[in-house]
Amino acid sequence: MAESTEVRKLVYLVTGGCGFLGEHVVRMLLQREPRLSELRVFDLHLGPWLEELKTGPVQVTAIQGDVTQAHEVAAAVAGAHVVIHAAGLVDVFGRASPKTIHEVNVQGTKNVIEACVQTGTRFLVYTSSMEVVGPNIKGHPFYRGNEDTPYEAVHKHPYPCSKAQAERLVLEANGREVRGGLPLVTCALRPTGIYGEGHQIMRDFYHQGLRLGGRLFRAIPASVEHGRVYVGNVAWMHVLVARELERRAALVGGQVYFCYDESPYKSYEDFNMEFLGPCGLRLVETRLLAPYWLLMLLAVLNALLQWLLRPLLLYAPLLNPYTLAVANTTFTVSTDKAQRHFGYEPLFSWEDSRTRTIRWVRAMEGSAQ
Ligand SMILES: NC(=O)C1=CN([C@@H]2O[C@H](COP(=O)(O)OP(=O)(O)OC[C@H]3O[C@@H](n4cnc5c(N)ncnc54)[C@H](O)[C@@H]3O)[C@@H](O)[C@H]2O)C=CC1
Ligand SMILES: CC(C)[C@@H](O)CC[C@@H](C)[C@H]1CC[C@H]2[C@@H]3[C@H](O)CC4=CC(=O)CC[C@]4(C)[C@H]3CC[C@]12C
């Protein structure tokens, strides 16, 4: 842990700093990085909450910008010591075109890398994803795997494809000479399904349950386990690895790390019920009524409806062939690589993560009444 008496001299840039994860990274940096003199928050959509952060000792600079625009990225990166690149189009629901997903996630990442090289920024942390690994299109389970577990990472969906390409670009950029002659040091963090305060999908599930009279209907067998990780622990891993990149460049540079904590392995739906159950929702067992083939038929009908309605409106339900396949494939990680390489330990216990998330859902409950 950096000493609190350290001189404030570092400039950090967080792209996507107003997103679900990005906001937690921004707030974690302000709380736990005492060397910060300036924190730049770069996002397509700036949040009003940024204003409240401008009263502290750190200069918080809000930058409205687009990672697909190289000149905007270069202007934001210039003079930064560290870039945490979390901006991305997280779309598995067909809201954006494959072209747009590629432009943001791949070209946007290229722009960040080139901006670091051209302006002399030496440290880059990329928010990758478990989806870079899987589940693959063959539905192979990934059971308690780690960063070295062999797995046939074969993707067709634009989102995992874009994350895999972007991650590869970041790792390949490690060691490139930046302006000033020193090497660029990069790494990529792979969160599994992130949950916590501000998670839009949890919000969607909650509102869906309210619409259905307090019930959610099981679509996935309880035996299908999904690894999940609390947003505060993902944010902490970003802050910690950003700090250690300089000191441990030879070990950490060019590496990937799964984000993990003590969150239990459960099916995606059962895990969500850890928070939605205490807020009054219940999961109705319909596995006998809704076999997988019927769910896939409904998912395909959703995809067809989305295509037919696109000229008129955006129809983007949670259930589509991709989300059903991912939800129905076990993907859990068990690793300590981040602990071994840069001393990561989860900041929030499972109990604390659960309590914080329930508190957030309850606050939604109040706003929904
Ligand atoms: N939510 C999850 O479960 C997981 C997310 N991730 C990754 O974490 C990162 C953050 O994801 P979330 O916070 O969940 O998503 P989010 O959608 O809440 O945040 C993404 C942020 O990026 C910004 N952004 C999008 N396009 C942009 C552009 N062209 N220029 C500038 N900013 C742009 C958005 O405005 C948003 O604030 C993403 O890279 C995602 O791939 C990885 C694993 C799991
Ligand atoms: C309708 C039911 C089938 C329901 O169970 C569908 C759940 C589905 C919306 C989610 C199941 C698994 C999620 C994904 C997983 O956590 C991995 C991810 C990593 C990312 O980088 C972004 C988000 C996501 C793709 C995540 C999205 C929501 C699910 C598909």
Side-chain angles (χ1 to χ4, degrees), residues 142-160:
F142 188 81
Y143 182 77
R144 307 283 200 277
N146 62 41
E147 291 83 352
D148 301 315
T149 301
Y151 186 83
E152 191 183 4
V154 181
H155 304 295
K156 279 198 308 184
H157 192 281
Y159 175 72

Side-chain angles (χ1 to χ4, degrees), residues 35-295:
R35 300 174 301 164
L36 263 187
S37 64
E38 181 187 2
L39 177 55
R40 298 173 184 170
V41 182
F42 181 96
D43 204 301
L44 204 56
H45 307 296
L46 294 177
W49 52 269
L50 280 171
E51 287 309 309
E52 76 193 34
L53 303 183
K54 296 187 175 182
T55 56
V58 176
Q59 177 189 334
V60 175
T61 310
I63 307 169
Q64 193 282 327
D66 185 341
V67 290
T68 66
Q69 301 304 308
H71 65 286
E72 294 181 9
V73 175
V77 169
H81 294 88
V82 179
V83 174
I84 295 175
H85 176 37
L89 206 43
V90 186
D91 181 26
V92 291
F93 304 106
R95 296 189 180 103
S97 68
K99 179 174 180 290
T100 304
I101 292 173
H102 184 277
E103 276 173 356
V104 174
N105 294 350
V106 181
Q107 186 57 49
T109 300
K110 280 179 184 172
N111 291 342
V112 169
I113 294 167
E114 291 312 315
C116 290
V117 169
Q118 287 158 22
T119 64
T121 295
R122 290 197 57 217
F123 305 105
L124 169 59
V125 178
Y126 175 59
T127 310
S128 181
S129 169
M130 59 173 267
E131 291 242 311
V132 165
V133 175
N136 62 23
I137 57 173
K138 300 176 179 177
H140 294 162
F142 188 81
Y143 182 77
R144 307 283 200 277
N146 62 41
E147 291 83 352
D148 301 315
T149 301
Y151 186 83
E152 191 183 4
V154 181
H155 304 295
K156 279 198 308 184
H157 192 281
Y159 175 72
C161 285
S162 71
K163 294 302 286 187
Q165 288 180 62
E167 180 187 281
R168 188 165 49 252
L169 289 168
V170 168
L171 301 179
E172 287 171 353
N174 185 60
R176 276 184 65 180
E177 183 178 309
V178 303
R179 183 177 179 181
L182 294 173
L184 177 63
V185 186
T186 71
C187 74
L189 301 185
R190 292 172 174 170
T192 53
I194 306 175
Y195 71 94
E197 306 92 309
H199 188 207
Q200 182 58 47
I201 296 172
M202 186 75 67
R203 191 181 278 122
D204 294 343
F205 271 112
Y206 178 64
H207 290 146
Q208 187 180 70
L210 292 181
R211 287 196 301 270
L212 296 172
R215 291 167 299 190
L216 288 169
F217 297 90
R218 181 187 292 282
I220 306 298
S223 58
V224 177
E225 292 184 341
H226 254 250
R228 301 288 287 276
V229 61
Y230 176 60
V231 63
N233 288 323
V234 179
W236 172 233
M237 192 181 280
H238 279 76
V239 170
L240 196 58
V241 79
R243 181 185 301 159
E244 295 301 323
L245 262 184
E246 182 168 17
R247 207 156 61 89
R248 305 182 192 215
L251 176 64
V252 178
Q255 295 292 321
V256 296
Y257 301 93
F258 278 119
C259 298
Y260 63 91
D261 58 20
E262 299 162 348
S263 301
Y265 301 118
K266 286 181 175 246
S267 78
Y268 198 84
E269 293 166 335
D270 289 295
F271 191 89
N272 290 348
M273 291 310 292
E274 286 284 346
F275 319 107
L276 301 179
C279 295
L281 300 192
R282 65 187 177 89
L283 190 60
V284 177
E285 296 298 337
T286 58
R287 288 293 299 141
L288 295 178
L289 302 176
Y292 187 78
W293 65 266
L294 177 58
L295 285 167

Side-chain angles (χ1 to χ4, degrees), residues 206 279 357-369:
Y206 178 64
C279 295
T357 306
I358 290 172
R359 190 182 303 139
W360 170 71
V361 176
R362 285 208 170 115
M364 270 199 293
E365 194 176 28
S367 60
Q369 281 168 356

Side-chain angles (χ1 to χ4, degrees), residues 289-312:
L289 302 176
Y292 187 78
W293 65 266
L294 177 58
L295 285 167
M296 187 49 84
L297 177 63
L298 291 172
V300 169
L301 285 174
N302 273 343
L304 179 61
L305 257 178
Q306 181 179 74
W307 180 77
L308 290 170
L309 293 172
R310 194 173 289 276
L312 304 171

